[in-house]
Amino acid sequence: MADVPTARVAVVTGGAGAIGGAIARELARLGHQVVVLDRTGDVVCDLASEADVRRAAAEILERYGRVDVLVHSAAAADALEWETVGLADWRRIQAVNVESVLLLAQAFVPGMRERGFGRIVLITSDTVWRPPSPDLLGYITSKGALTAFARTLAAALGKDGIAVTSVAPGLTRTPATAYQPDEAFDAALATQALPRPLVPDDVAATVGFLAGDAAEALTGQVLTVDGGSLLR
């Protein structure tokens, strides 16, 4: 039985991807009306564009009337040489991964505050604590920024009934990580306390919990869904 009323609207950025798609399906299973915000989805958006994000946020509010849950799963994860990366590429990564959720929160939080309920869940990464490669500096930096973003907003919005949390997956098999050799997955698995491969549904189940009423006393935290690779 769903733990949320069907009236709650959940926006999932990156919902056309593997992890975002799993999150969207889980939230729908739990009774949310899910809106996928991606390059393909219910509302199409270029998250690197401030104007397009603002347009998409306004479209969502006009079409669906409200947003109760915002899950930011979209991410640019370009591997770029840190010594030579240009600021245009660097800023695009930060725009997609960090700036877009700021703009979406600015659009959706007023309604959450008015209703006295809101959930913002940011998908980060366990690479923040164990960087695998300097080529991912832009991506990892953005995920560290999201962790700080969540903690700061959690402190600011708690009085309004809005919880802000982060979920940090470990290395999970998806089309986006298909470029990684099997040895990388084997090495990650060897560090885990729970010796089984990680799948998108692991993240989705955690997000589903955080989005519901059962998590009403939890905010400002990072839940690391990595099989116990990082025991913090």
Side-chain angles (χ1 to χ4, degrees):
M1 187 173 183
D3 68 346
V4 296
T6 55
R8 287 186 184 163
V9 176
V11 171
V12 181
T13 72
I19 290 178
I23 292 168
R25 289 189 296 274
E26 176 66 5
L27 291 176
R29 185 188 71 81
L30 292 171
H32 294 81
Q33 183 176 10
V34 175
V35 183
V36 170
L37 179 62
D38 208 328
R39 287 173 292 186
T40 60
D42 301 306
V43 176
V44 175
C45 180
D46 176 5
L47 290 171
S49 165
E50 175 186 354
D52 209 35
V53 174
R54 291 190 186 278
R55 175 206 55 80
E59 180 180 333
I60 289 169
L61 289 174
E62 181 177 1
R63 188 188 303 183
Y64 298 92
R66 60 193 286 159
V67 172
D68 304 287
V69 177
L70 171 61
V71 181
H72 184 46
S73 180
D78 309 52
L80 301 168
E81 293 288 341
W82 73 268
E83 297 98 334
T84 57
V85 61
L87 285 181
D89 288 330
W90 177 272
R91 288 167 179 161
R92 181 179 54 81
I93 294 170
Q94 308 312 315
V96 172
N97 297 5
V98 182
E99 293 171 12
S100 65
V101 76
L102 169 63
L103 299 173
L104 294 171
Q106 288 175 339
F108 300 150
V109 162
M112 296 179 181
R113 181 182 287 124
E114 182 179 333
R115 291 183 295 275
F117 175 91
R119 298 285 187 268
I120 300 174
V121 183
L122 310 179
I123 306 304
T124 61
S125 172
D126 74 346
T127 58
V128 171
W129 297 277
R130 186 181 291 160
S133 168
D135 293 350
L136 292 175
L137 178 63
Y139 169 80
I140 297 170
T141 298
S142 74
K143 294 302 185 177
L146 284 179
T147 301
F149 181 93
R151 289 169 60 87
T152 304
L153 276 196
L157 300 179
K159 64 182 182 300
D160 300 309
I162 302 170
V164 188
T165 50
S166 302
V167 177
L171 183 59
T172 305
R173 281 197 181 271
T174 69
T177 60
Y179 72 93
Q180 294 274 8
D182 287 340
E183 291 78 7
F185 288 93
D186 292 342
L189 189 64
T191 69
Q192 295 176 198
L194 297 172
R196 70 162 182 79
L198 303 173
V199 296
D201 284 345
D202 296 324
V203 180
T206 303
V207 173
F209 164 70
L210 292 172
D213 293 334
E216 64 181 356
L218 200 160
T219 194
Q221 305 301 312
V222 181
L223 276 66
T224 308
V225 183
D226 66 354
S229 178
L230 297 172
L231 299 174
R232 298 183 296 110

